[in-house]
Every structure is written in structure tokens, then in C-alpha cells.
Amino acid sequence: MTPRPEPADPPHSPLRTALTSLVGVRHPLVQTGMGWVAGPRLVSATAEAGALGILASATMTLPQLRDAVREVKSRTAAPFGVNLRADAGDAADRVRLLIDEGVRVASFALAPSRELIGQLKDAGVVVIPSVGAVRHAQKVAEWGADAVLVQGGEGGGHTGQIATSVLLPQVVDAMRGASIPVVGAGGFHDGRGLAAALCYGAAGAAMGTRFLLTRESTVPEAVKARYLAAQVSDITVTTKVDGLPHRMLRSEMVAALESAGRVAALLRALRHAAAFKTYSGMSWAAMLRDGRALRHGKDLSLGRVLLAANTPMLLKAAMVDGRTDAGVMAAGQVAGVIDDLPSVAELVERTVRQAAALLRELGARVSDPPPAA
């Protein structure tokens, strides 16, 4: 297949970076692929606003993903992306779907294989894996990734321990030799953060929780209210969901998971496993295989393996069903400082405008050094 030509920057972009040139969006902002949140409505609104919207596919069957991609394409002609699980049993089929449907960007929560990267690049799809360490960025760069998204510990969901302010410049420095753009994530929610990311040397900033708290987000209003009411101290990191560090809002379910004994945890995991089996149509064998893949080499109990495969149901309970008592709510630390629900267009416009104004102001403060005597 002949690769599609690289898009050029659209006119009137106040902030042009290597990311906008690579992807063909107006603004160096990315809406991350949040499960149950980043659906066609939010992604298409983000694309129309000039940023890069990423469709979350991990909670979709293959036919559902095809329908979602086509719905986004029916709503906008702007570029968008799809987030994939590289360790999914049908990853190759999903890659083929993206290629066939002409999706511009493939993002990955885990490092994709060299073969998957090559297949996507041969078809002209931009590959942007997410990483949480310098060595992971170096690995995917060697394998041919077009850019990397690096998330610091402030980010929601599965997260690491290194703050964005430390990790991001490290990855930027490491990627200079590879000459690929770096996108910063974790702790960004406004133009100050975007300007900071650019000053660190990144080509853009990615935001999850901030896009979750917009009018186009399909998260139930009661759940959005729970986020808006949260203080920074109401956001915690727990390993009791699937054995890995998860940043989320404190909730009844988090408290129950943290206080449950092994038998109760196993019974809860089995209930969620049965619910996800019904929803997804997966076999028990496939669910256990995915659960083992999600362990990332950790020695987890059977209960944790089942929860790793079925954490999506805990998220769905809150993000789709509105059950804050029965679900979990992934949240970046910025949830504690967000207090409004703008439209996506308003959010993108004000973020870019503020960042551009700050960068102009900083530039005006810098004067050339006096000539040497």
C-alpha cells in the first residue's frame, strides 16, 4: 500500500510544532484515549476544535470499533487517532481496521511490537506509543515510532512515580538523537501547562481529565460533579484494583477494594469477570490470557488476574452507568483544580490562546546580551 502524503500545517495555527506538522492538526494538544470516555462524540469535537482526539478502543469489540471510527469520520474530516492495546489477542485485526479505514494516528498504552509499528508505518499511519520511562521511549524510537507520549506520575489511570517535570525533559533529551517529537502528559489542564511543556522541549501536551470534564464528554453529570467537587487530596494512588498503581478519585469502591480480604477480592473479581464476559462475548480462556498480559510480569493472584482483565467493568460502572458507589474513577491530580465544564472548542481555544500569550510575554522579557567588549 502506498503511504498517504504527510499533511502540512493548516493555516492560522498560533502554535506550530513538530506534532502539528506530523499529524496535521492546528494545535499541539492531544485528548487522550480514556476508556468509556473517549468515544466518537468527544473525539470528533476535539478534532473539529483543531486538536488531536484519540478514540479509546480497549473497551470495544472489533465491530464496535469499526462503527465508532466510521461515526467519527461522519462527524469530522479532521485527523484523529485510535488507542490500541498492543497485547490484545486481536491486535493485528485492529491494526488492519485502522489501515483500511484511513485512521491518521495509532496510539498505544503499551509498547507495540516492531512488526506492528512497521505495518502501520508502511500504510502511512502515524505511530505514537505512550511511555513512562526513558528506556521505553528509546526502545520504541529504535523500532520506528513517529513520536512518543510520555506520562508523568500526576496522570490518571495506570501511572508511574516520576513527576512530569522530571520525566518529560529526560525523554526530550533522550529523543534528540532520534529526532522524533515528544508529547507531555500528566498534570496539564490549561495554557500554562501547554506553554510549560513547550518550554521543556516537548512538541505538545496531552490532557485526559481536562477533556473528560467538558460538555461533549458523555460521562454522567453526577460523575462529573464528583470530579468537580474533588480537592487534590481526594485523588489517590492504589494498587488494589489490579495490582498496579492506579491514580483515581477516592470512592466507596476504592475503600472496599483496599479493605477487602483475599476471599472477598476473588469473589468480587469473579462477579466482574462474569459481567465482562457477557458484555464482550470473550471466552474465559481469552479473558484469563488478557489478564495475564496485563500483569506486566507481576506475580499476581488469580483474583488480581481477573480484575486486571475486567477493570473496564469497574470503570464502566462509574463512567457509563453513573454508579460512583460501585465503580472507580480514574483521575489525574488536576481534577483537584478544575472547576468548570467548557465545551471542547472553548477549552482548546482558551488553552492555546493562553499558551501563546504566555510564550510571547516570556519572549518579550528576553533581551540580547550586550556585545562583548
Side-chain angles (χ1 to χ4, degrees):
M1 181 180 293
T2 302
R4 291 185 293 274
E6 296 294 325
D9 270 325
H12 312 303
S13 301
L15 296 172
R16 295 190 179 194
T17 72
L19 176 68
T20 61
S21 298
L22 175 68
V23 180
V25 294
R26 294 198 305 277
H27 308 305
L29 273 178
V30 178
Q31 163 254 302
T32 60
M34 300 163 282
W36 303 114
V37 177
R41 191 168 94 174
L42 180 60
V43 171
S44 58
T46 302
E48 282 292 281
L52 178 62
I54 303 293
L55 189 68
S57 76
T59 56
M60 299 178 186
T61 64
L62 194 64
Q64 288 171 341
L65 174 58
R66 182 179 293 107
D67 290 344
V69 167
R70 291 178 178 177
E71 182 177 346
V72 175
K73 289 165 60 178
S74 74
R75 290 169 175 259
T76 181
F80 67 97
V82 173
N83 182 259
L84 300 172
R85 267 188 52 201
D87 59 352
D90 61 352
D93 294 331
R94 291 170 184 258
V95 164
R96 173 48 55 188
L97 187 155
L98 266 60
I99 293 171
D100 291 344
E101 294 293 335
V103 173
R104 179 62 188 158
V105 174
S107 75
F108 291 87
L110 298 174
S113 66
R114 188 192 302 267
E115 291 72 26
L116 283 182
I117 292 177
Q119 185 180 359
L120 288 160
K121 286 175 64 68
D122 286 346
V125 181
V126 175
V127 181
I128 308 180
S130 296
V131 299
V134 172
R135 67 182 184 278
H136 298 154
Q138 292 170 327
K139 178 173 69 175
V140 295
E142 291 172 2
W143 289 354
D146 296 293
V148 294
L149 187 152
V150 53
Q151 177 177 306
E154 300 94 323
H158 286 125
T159 192
Q161 297 180 333
I162 303 176
T164 303
S165 58
V166 175
L167 182 59
L168 178 56
Q170 283 185 307
V171 175
V172 167
D173 289 345
M175 291 298 96
R176 284 208 172 96
S179 299
I180 66 173
V182 176
V183 179
F188 299 115
H189 72 285
D190 62 7
R192 293 173 297 181
L194 175 56
L198 298 177
C199 288
Y200 277 125
M207 305 189 299
T209 305
R210 178 63 278 193
F211 277 101
L212 183 156
L213 292 171
T214 58
R215 292 203 290 273
E216 287 86 351
S217 164
T218 57
V219 171
E221 295 303 312
V223 179
K224 291 180 183 178
R226 185 77 174 258
Y227 277 88
L228 292 174
Q231 303 297 311
V232 173
S233 59
D234 295 323
I235 301 151
T236 187
V237 174
T238 181
T239 60
K240 297 301 184 180
V241 174
D242 60 10
L244 300 170
H246 240 100
R247 186 176 293 282
M248 56 186 58
L249 292 185
R250 298 182 189 276
S251 68
E252 296 89 335
M253 176 56 72
V254 171
L257 290 171
E258 291 187 332
S259 63
R262 294 184 64 181
V263 173
L266 177 57
L267 291 174
R268 192 189 307 275
L270 286 169
R271 288 198 302 272
H272 284 288
F276 191 70
K277 182 178 183 295
T278 300
Y279 172 82
S280 67
M282 295 175 68
S283 67
W284 284 108
M287 289 167 52
L288 286 170
R289 182 193 63 232
D290 280 5
R292 292 189 185 99
L294 283 169
R295 290 186 305 175
H296 307 286
K298 305 290 185 181
D299 183 18
L300 301 183
S301 65
L302 174 62
R304 294 293 179 225
V305 170
L306 289 170
L307 274 177
N310 300 290
T311 298
M313 295 308 290
L314 289 173
L315 290 164
K316 178 179 180 292
M319 299 304 176
V320 177
D321 303 332
R323 292 287 308 277
T324 59
D325 61 322
V328 297
M329 294 164 280
Q333 284 185 305
V334 295
V337 296
I338 294 173
D339 59 5
D340 65 342
L341 289 173
S343 70
V344 167
E346 291 168 346
L347 172 63
V348 171
E349 192 275 335
R350 79 186 188 193
T351 299
V352 173
R353 184 180 66 243
Q354 183 185 30
L358 285 169
L359 292 171
R360 283 193 296 268
E361 180 183 343
L362 289 172
R365 294 179 185 177
V366 178
S367 59
D368 293 331

